[in-house]
Amino acid sequence: MAFPATAFADPPAGATPVTHWEIGRLIERAHRRFLDVLRAELTRLGVDDISPSQVMLLFTIGTDELSVRDLLERGHYLGSNASYNLKQLVDAHYIHRTASQRDRRSARLRLSAKAQSLCDAIRTTHDSRQIGLDGDPTGELGIAYGVLRRLELHWTGALR
């Protein structure tokens, strides 16, 4: 797998080479920090009935109406964890859950107005932060996204 030369700085002499293991650990830590940012944003907004992980579920659903299975596949969530979070989101009125017209055993999920409003507020804050961080979409965040996306595809291919 080739990465563009602009995506990496040369490591210092004698530095330990970066491995897939180290990349995985860095991604995991970055994800946790992002959840911390979401937690702080929820606190700033005065929202205390939803967790950062549940916010991620809302953004995964977005404007779509999904089955639970589609949500699990799209977001790479674990079934029992997602089931618990979905129940909490339904109980807190962030998600409308209805039986599928075709298969009554299957549920359809869509965001409520409350959830859409929360997502809009979070998106507005993050959009303004991104402009301050990297106003050019092909800048550092664009490069990071491209590298991580290619790494995801590489790891997916390794499973086959």
Side-chain angles (χ1 to χ4, degrees), residues 4 36 39 72 89 99 103 125:
D36 291 341
R39 184 175 293 106
L72 295 176
L89 290 168
D103 181 357
T125 300

Side-chain angles (χ1 to χ4, degrees), residues 63-140:
T63 58
D64 296 333
E65 181 176 274
L66 301 175
S67 69
V68 173
R69 181 178 181 170
D70 290 341
L71 177 66
L72 295 176
E73 289 174 1
R74 183 183 284 188
H76 309 287
Y77 302 106
L78 299 175
S80 61
N81 190 20
S83 295
Y84 170 80
N85 282 319
L86 288 172
K87 182 180 179 333
Q88 296 294 312
L89 290 168
V90 169
D91 291 348
H93 307 289
Y94 284 100
I95 292 180
H96 296 297
R97 183 179 183 141
T98 56
S100 171
Q101 296 288 349
R102 291 179 295 162
D103 181 357
R104 304 305 274 175
R105 298 170 296 172
S106 177
R108 303 292 299 169
L109 308 168
R110 64 183 167 79
L111 299 186
S112 68
K114 179 181 178 181
Q116 291 169 0
S117 176
L118 177 62
C119 289
D120 289 344
I122 291 171
R123 190 177 295 110
T124 297
T125 300
H126 284 265
D127 287 351
S128 66
R129 281 190 189 142
Q130 182 172 334
I131 290 170
L133 174 67
D134 185 9
D136 176 15
T138 60
E140 289 179 357

Side-chain angles (χ1 to χ4, degrees), residues 43-64:
T43 300
R44 188 188 70 75
L45 293 169
V47 176
D48 62 358
D49 60 346
I50 186 172
S51 72
S53 295
Q54 292 167 340
V55 170
M56 297 295 288
L57 278 169
L58 298 181
F59 274 94
T60 301
I61 295 169
T63 58
D64 296 333

Side-chain angles (χ1 to χ4, degrees), residues 1-22:
M1 168 183 283
F3 295 100
T6 58
F8 300 103
D10 290 332
T16 304
V18 177
T19 65
H20 285 259
W21 177 257
E22 291 301 319

